[in-house]
């Protein structure tokens, strides 16, 4: 045992005395480990980490087999007593804005509707108080609310006596019955839970909810999904009519709850691209490490031959290389963990908060284990390859040449193959990253179709106690806009259901020329909308104060709507909302396109209608699930008008909270932030790949030149010019680079086709390889390779024959 420890100590002492190789090998390994562990930690937190509930593997979502995973109250109630299910709960698939009124601070908060069975199904116990009871979870039951941990801390300072107190919501007192634990994280960042309060026999067919079930032990998820599908289709058959015809094509199933949550499905394409980039960087780093270890072992050939001639066993011969690899692996893992921590710190400021289950992005046990697993495993396997390769050379030849033979022909071929492999991998990664970056760059610099300068926005959810119906809300909008327009410094003001960017409202419409309904974006807006947001009017007119209830129903459409549904000429045409009791709308104007969902999505067809003529059903939907949005265009900096807006709102509605007051420029920037964030991160991976490939080429060429120093001395002694020797080295390196580039482009084309759908989701790019990207990547790698070969070539040209031949 002491012999082995002595071998380790001697090997480590030799490496530390001349740490050049250790720093190079560990640095290469650390870059691969750091990027991979950081991305894995992010993916683990967003997609893989179990939900913070009791026995999360037993929790499944029951719903439609599509990306929305929704279920209606009527369908949910028909799943009672489902075989294989021990409990079943319901929650809203989106957050509802709600006002905290009364004598305290007026604020708007977000509420999540749940039934009384949700928390028991999840296995969540309130931190304080209790869950909703059956009486509270029914229509017109006692008003009860459960606070989130964050809202409890923010409004009540963590007061443990809050249970039993009253909080005024929408002008009515609600009793606080509980406080949630800090780990509760289901849909976004909800401030309070409210009872869903469904009727006992609900016939609601709104897709506003998601169902979660806890499977009984021994139950298979596919069995539960098949039972759900069978039961709901039997329900549709009993109802008959159009409902049965429409739903006969819909499939219902069960999937893990973790997979069904909206924020996880949204993050999957981007994280997949990140992981692919990180794995390519790691693979390049490992190939680089293998190359370095092989060259290191070949340089020890003479020492190995001497020890073998003295009777050392194969294990004793291999032990110095393995001991050095152990040091490289440990050092690379530790440095890689530091790199990963630095990358995660950067990621924390870029990643949307809804993606994360916890506020911090710590490495955790799995991150440490992955770092040391990759570090030690990669280093030891690389050293084993080097030992195997060096031992294939005849010991007698090494002893006869006295260590002056350098690297053998077969050893040189192996080094060249590894260099070509590195270049091919780097080319594939850089081509894929270049295509990704090309799409993201175009998206980040795509005009959104409106002017965001000098515009201040805010949102209102009209208090239901003082504005109980659609006419009162419309009247509030009219009075507020009149007050805002009268303020000094205000150029224009408007309000409605949407901004030119953000989540839109989608409604079904019918056309006489089309057999099927179409779903289009609907914006109910007040006069001044297009002036406030700087949207160009192309044809016709916009809305005026005369477009009110009782006047001719009118609409304005954007150019995308006119092109898709009217062949580019929409003036004078009619559009019919597929809602009960709504008259046809006459198109009186066409405006320029805006990218409502941000630069990664094409401009959608938009139907603008006067807010004063908005159907009651639309107003009810906005009141329940959305906010009414307002904007003012002002002279100077918008931030200076915040107090004016607050005073104007409280002047017409004293108990009305104002929410999300911010500049339109900030809102617009957040739509391009994902593209800019991905642009930066993928760019970092591309730079790492380029550096690793260049480092690998330099290491091999430098070692090869050092090993051939005697050959170059002989050549120079018999008359070879220094430039000829330099060109000899450059030509060999460039040939390896060219072969690697050709192979890498082929791999990149196949990779882009394979990941076409992911690229489309993450960047809006069609997934076709851009020739300009390929040319740029090849030029960059050729330049990097040329620079990597240049120093060894200059070293070959400066070889002194007398020094090279001194040992002869």
């Amino acid at each position: 045992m002491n012999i082995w420890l002595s071998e380790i100590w001697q090997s480590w002492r030799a490496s530390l005395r001349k740490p050049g190789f250790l720093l190079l090998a560990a640095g290469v390994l650390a870059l691969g480990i750091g990027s991979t562990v950081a991305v894995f930690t992010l993916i683990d937190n967003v997609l893989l980490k179990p939900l913070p509930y009791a026995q999360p593997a037993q929790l499944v979502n029951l719903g439609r087999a599509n990306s929305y995973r929704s279920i209606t109250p009527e369908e949910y109630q028909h799943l009672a007593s489902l075989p294989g299910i021990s409990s079943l709960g319901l929650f809203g698939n989106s957050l509802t804005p709600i006002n905290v009124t009364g004598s305290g601070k007026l604020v708007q908060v977000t509420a999540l509707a749940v039934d009384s069975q949700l928390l028991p199904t999840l296995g969540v116990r309130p931190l304080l108080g209790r869950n909703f009871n059956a009486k509270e979870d029914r229509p017109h039951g006692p008003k009860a609310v459960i606070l989130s941990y964050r809202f409890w801390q923010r409004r009540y300072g963590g007061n443990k006596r809050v249970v039993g107190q009253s909080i005024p919501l929408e002008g009515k007192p609600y009793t606080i019955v509980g406080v949630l634990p800090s780990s509760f994280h289901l849909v976004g960042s909800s401030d309070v839970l409210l009872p869903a309060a469904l009727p006992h026999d609900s016939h609601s067919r709104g897709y506003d909810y998601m169902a979660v079930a806890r499977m009984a032990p021994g139950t298979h998820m596919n069995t539960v999904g098949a039972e759900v599908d069978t039961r709901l289709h039997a329900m549709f058959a009993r109802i008959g009519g159009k409902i049965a015809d429409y739903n006969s094509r819909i499939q219902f199933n069960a999937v893990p709850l973790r997979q069904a949550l909206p924020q996880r499905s949204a993050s999957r394409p981007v994280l997949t691209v990140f992981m692919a980039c990180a794995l390519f960087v790691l693979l390049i780093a490992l190939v680089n490490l293998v190359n370095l270890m092989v060259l290191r072992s070949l340089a020890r050939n003479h020492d190995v031959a001497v020890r073998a001639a003295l009777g050392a066993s194969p294990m004793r011969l291999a032990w110095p290389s393995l001991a050095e690899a152990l040091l490289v692996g440990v050092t690379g893992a530790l440095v890689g963990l530091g790199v990963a921590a630095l990358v995660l710190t950067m990621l924390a400021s870029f990643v949307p908060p809804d993606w994360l289950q916890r506020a911090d992005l710590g490495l955790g046990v799995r991150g440490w284990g992955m770092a040391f697993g990759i570090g030690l495993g990669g280093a030891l396997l690389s050293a084993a390859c080097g030992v195997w390769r060096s031992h294939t050379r005849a010991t007698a030849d090494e002893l006869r040449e006295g260590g002056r033979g350098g690297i053998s022909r077969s050893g040189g071929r192996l080094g060249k193959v590894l260099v070509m492999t590195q270049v091919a991998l780097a080319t594939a990664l850089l081509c894929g990253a270049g295509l990704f970056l090309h799409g993201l760059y175009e998206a980040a610099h795509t005009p959104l179709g409106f002017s965001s300068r000098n515009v201040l926005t805010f949102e209102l959810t009209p208090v239901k106690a003082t504005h109980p119906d659609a006419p009162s809300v419309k009247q509030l909008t009219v009075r507020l806009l009149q007050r805002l327009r009268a303020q000094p410094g205000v150029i224009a003001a408007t309000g409605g259901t949407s901004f030119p960017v953000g989540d839109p409202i989608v409604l079904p419409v019918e056309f006489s020329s089309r057999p099927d309904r179409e779903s289009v974006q609907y914006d109910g807006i007040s006069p001044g909308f297009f002036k406030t947001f700087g949207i160009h009017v192309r044809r016709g007119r916009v809305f005026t104060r005369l477009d009110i209830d009782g006047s001719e129903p009118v609409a304005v459409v954007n150019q995308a709507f006119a092109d898709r549904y009217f062949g580019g000429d929409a003036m004078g045409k009619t559009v019919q909302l597929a809602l009960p009791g709504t008259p046809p709308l006459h198109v009186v104007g066409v405006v320029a396109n805006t990218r409502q969902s941000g630069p990664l999505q094409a401009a959608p067809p938009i139907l603008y209608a006067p807010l004063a003529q908005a159907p009651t059903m639309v107003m009810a939907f906005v009141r329940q699930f959305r906010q009414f949005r307002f904007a003012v265009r002002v002279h100077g900096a918008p931030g200076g008008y915040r107090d004016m807006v607050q005073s104007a709102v409280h002047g017409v509605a004293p108990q009305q909270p104002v929410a999300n007051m911010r500049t339109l420029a900030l809102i617009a920037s957040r739509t391009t932030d994902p593209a800019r964030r991905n642009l930066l991160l993928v760019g970092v991976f591309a730079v790492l790949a380029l550096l690793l490939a260049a480092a690998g080429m330099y290491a091999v060429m430098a070692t090869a030149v050092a090993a051939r120093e005697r050959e170059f001395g002989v050549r120079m002694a018999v008359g070879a010019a220094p430039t000829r020797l330099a060109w000899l080295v450059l030509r060999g390196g460039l040939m390896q680079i060219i072969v690697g580039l050709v192979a890498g482009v082929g791999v990149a084309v196949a990779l882009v086709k394979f990941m076409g759908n992911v690229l489309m989701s993450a960047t809006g790019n069609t997934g076709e390889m851009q020739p300009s990207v390929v040319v740029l990547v090849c030029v960059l790698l050729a330049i990097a390779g040329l620079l990597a070969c240049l120093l060894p070539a200059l070293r070959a040209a400066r070889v002194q024959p007398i020094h090279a031949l001194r040992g002869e």
Side-chain angles (χ1 to χ4, degrees):
M1 185 65 181
N2 291 334
I3 295 177
W4 302 117
L5 293 177
S6 176
E7 289 277 6
I8 293 176
W9 170 243
Q10 290 180 12
S11 177
W12 287 13
R13 187 174 59 178
S15 297
L16 293 173
R17 185 181 298 118
K18 295 182 178 181
F21 176 80
L22 173 63
L23 294 177
L24 178 61
V28 166
L29 186 59
L31 289 177
I33 290 175
S35 59
T36 306
V37 170
V39 175
F40 171 78
T41 301
L42 180 60
I43 292 177
D44 182 45
N45 188 280
V46 178
L47 299 177
L48 305 178
K49 193 176 184 65
L51 295 173
Y53 308 125
Q55 298 175 318
Q58 296 179 359
L59 295 174
V60 294
N61 167 257
L62 310 180
R64 284 164 171 73
N66 56 31
S67 58
Y68 297 104
R69 304 299 310 167
S70 59
I71 199 167
T72 69
E74 183 180 34
E75 295 161 355
Y76 171 72
Q77 291 181 344
H78 276 77
L79 297 180
S81 303
L82 195 71
I85 295 298
S86 60
S87 61
L88 183 66
L90 185 78
F91 64 96
N93 55 15
S94 61
L95 300 178
T96 302
I98 190 169
N99 295 303
V100 180
T101 55
S103 58
K105 184 179 179 180
L106 304 178
V107 295
Q108 179 182 291
V109 299
T110 54
L112 180 65
V114 303
D115 71 351
S116 58
Q117 296 303 310
L118 177 71
L119 295 184
T121 299
L122 295 176
V124 173
R125 293 183 178 181
L127 180 66
L128 299 175
R130 60 173 175 82
N131 183 28
F132 299 124
N133 58 39
K135 290 183 179 180
E136 294 161 345
D137 189 25
R138 68 176 57 169
H140 312 295
K143 303 294 184 183
V145 62
I146 298 176
L147 308 182
S148 72
Y149 183 88
R150 187 186 65 172
F151 183 70
W152 172 57
Q153 291 287 333
R154 186 174 71 239
R155 187 171 179 87
Y156 295 96
N159 183 4
K160 295 184 178 181
R161 298 180 180 179
V162 71
V163 175
Q165 294 184 19
S166 177
I167 180 173
L169 302 178
E170 298 295 347
K172 298 180 180 180
Y174 280 67
T175 301
I176 300 173
V177 299
V179 176
L180 292 169
S182 59
S183 61
F184 184 86
H185 183 85
L186 202 58
V187 177
S189 299
S190 57
D191 294 312
V192 298
L193 299 187
L194 293 178
L198 300 178
H200 177 68
D201 187 15
S202 176
H203 295 289
S204 172
R205 291 166 186 164
Y207 308 128
D208 305 325
Y209 294 94
M210 298 178 72
V212 55
R214 182 172 292 278
M215 297 186 299
T219 305
H220 196 277
M221 184 173 60
N222 292 339
T223 304
V224 174
E227 182 63 31
V228 171
D229 191 68
T230 301
R231 182 174 291 195
L232 292 183
H233 280 99
M235 181 195 77
F236 298 140
R238 289 195 301 270
I239 296 174
K242 292 183 178 181
I243 296 296
D245 294 339
Y246 175 76
N247 288 287
S248 62
R249 301 186 297 271
I250 296 177
Q251 181 183 359
F252 296 83
N253 63 2
V255 299
L257 178 61
R258 180 184 63 194
Q259 177 182 331
L261 295 179
Q263 60 268 28
R264 300 202 167 201
S265 59
S267 63
R268 190 170 287 109
V270 173
L271 293 179
T272 300
V273 173
F274 287 173
M275 195 70 232
C277 290
L279 289 176
F280 260 86
V281 169
L282 177 63
L283 190 57
I284 295 171
L286 291 177
V287 171
N288 212 334
L289 185 63
V290 169
N291 212 342
L292 291 172
M293 288 295 188
V294 168
L295 294 173
R296 184 74 161 175
S297 294
L298 292 175
R300 289 195 179 105
N301 275 345
H302 181 67
D303 180 62
V304 170
V306 171
R307 290 165 63 106
L310 295 175
S313 66
M315 189 62 191
R316 288 290 299 274
L317 295 176
W319 197 247
S321 295
L322 296 178
E324 184 178 48
L326 186 65
L327 181 60
V328 169
V330 172
T331 306
L334 291 174
V335 177
L337 285 169
V339 173
L342 184 64
V343 172
L344 287 174
T345 302
M346 181 180 66
L347 285 175
S349 60
F350 284 98
V351 173
D354 287 349
W355 287 14
L356 305 177
Q357 290 188 40
R358 60 176 189 262
D360 64 311
L361 272 175
L363 289 171
V365 175
R366 285 196 272 193
W368 282 75
M370 185 177 187
F372 280 97
I374 294 174
L376 294 176
L380 291 174
L381 285 175
S382 300
C385 291
V387 169
W388 169 79
R389 189 65 196 85
S390 66
H391 286 183
T392 59
R393 185 168 180 177
T395 302
D397 293 339
E398 281 293 336
L399 292 175
R400 182 177 60 254
E401 294 178 5
R404 300 186 302 271
I407 298 177
S408 66
R409 183 180 298 273
S410 60
R413 283 199 300 266
L414 178 61
K416 294 176 183 178
V417 170
L418 290 173
V419 168
M420 289 185 286
T421 303
Q422 288 182 61
V423 175
L425 290 173
T427 304
L429 174 57
L430 289 173
C431 285
L435 179 62
F436 194 79
L437 294 172
H438 180 267
L440 291 175
Y441 181 84
E442 289 188 343
H445 293 80
T446 298
L448 298 177
F450 59 89
S451 174
S452 61
R453 295 184 61 186
N454 299 347
V455 178
L456 182 65
T457 68
F458 61 97
E459 298 173 355
L460 300 181
T461 300
V463 178
K464 295 179 176 61
T466 54
H467 302 90
D469 51 21
S472 64
V473 173
K474 293 178 181 178
Q475 186 59 33
L476 169 66
T477 301
V478 171
R479 290 190 291 117
L480 177 56
L481 291 178
Q482 288 176 346
R483 196 177 188 95
L484 288 171
R485 289 166 184 155
Q487 301 299 315
V490 174
I491 301 172
T494 189
T497 61
S498 302
F499 291 140
V501 65
D503 294 333
I505 296 175
V506 178
L507 294 179
V509 297
E510 295 175 341
F511 301 93
S512 57
S513 59
R514 293 172 176 265
D516 298 327
R517 293 179 175 179
E518 299 282 343
S519 294
V520 301
Q521 179 180 324
Y522 174 93
D523 286 358
I525 61 175
S526 300
F529 181 89
F530 302 109
K531 180 181 179 181
T532 302
F533 294 115
I535 299 174
H536 180 64
V537 180
R538 293 190 169 180
R539 296 188 62 189
R541 70 173 180 89
V542 294
F543 305 133
T544 68
R545 298 177 184 179
L546 300 178
D547 296 315
I548 59 176
D549 274 337
S551 63
E552 179 188 25
V554 294
V556 171
V557 300
N558 70 341
Q559 190 62 51
F561 191 104
D563 292 341
R564 179 175 297 186
Y565 300 117
F566 297 115
D569 184 15
M571 292 296 298
K573 302 298 195 307
T574 60
V575 179
Q576 176 67 60
L577 290 176
L579 299 176
T582 56
L585 307 178
H586 297 272
V587 178
V588 297
V590 178
V591 298
N593 293 330
T594 57
R595 292 179 177 265
Q596 184 79 24
S597 299
L600 295 181
Q601 305 294 329
I606 303 177
L607 175 67
Y608 300 97
L611 184 65
Q613 296 179 352
T616 302
M617 185 178 297
V618 173
M619 297 294 289
F621 171 80
V622 177
R623 281 172 60 80
Q624 183 174 359
F625 297 105
R626 306 290 292 273
Q627 303 93 359
F628 288 91
R629 295 166 176 174
F630 296 83
V632 290
R633 179 172 288 277
V634 298
H635 292 291
Y641 291 82
R642 293 176 180 271
D643 292 339
M644 179 273 292
V645 168
Q646 289 277 5
S647 298
V649 173
H650 293 156
V652 298
Q655 285 292 309
Q656 178 63 58
V658 179
N660 299 326
M661 191 180 299
R662 52 197 172 179
T663 64
L664 184 62
L666 176 62
I667 300 175
S669 68
R670 289 178 178 175
T671 66
T672 59
D673 278 349
R676 297 180 190 277
R677 175 191 66 228
N678 299 342
L679 186 69
L680 174 63
L681 294 178
V682 175
V684 170
F685 287 126
V687 171
L688 283 178
L690 187 63
L691 290 176
L692 287 172
M697 287 184 283
Y698 171 77
V700 171
M701 298 305 299
T703 306
V705 168
R708 297 174 65 186
E709 186 175 357
R710 177 172 173 269
E711 174 194 342
F712 293 145
V714 172
R715 286 176 179 269
M716 192 169 290
V718 296
T723 54
R724 181 177 180 81
L725 296 180
W727 171 243
L728 183 67
V729 175
L730 283 175
R731 183 181 63 186
L734 290 176
M735 287 301 298
Q736 298 168 39
I737 294 171
I738 291 172
V739 173
L741 287 174
V742 173
V745 170
V747 174
V749 171
L751 182 67
V752 168
K753 288 183 178 179
F754 177 72
M755 297 187 65
N757 292 334
V758 175
L759 287 171
M760 186 68 183
S761 300
T763 68
N765 197 298
T766 58
E768 297 180 357
M769 183 61 71
Q770 301 286 336
S772 58
V773 171
V774 176
V775 172
L776 179 62
V777 168
C778 291
V779 170
L780 283 176
L781 277 173
I783 292 174
L786 182 62
L787 292 175
C789 297
L790 189 59
L791 288 177
L794 292 176
R795 180 180 176 182
R798 292 196 299 265
V799 169
Q800 297 296 326
I802 188 63
H803 296 302
L805 301 176
R806 182 175 295 165
E808 295 297 325

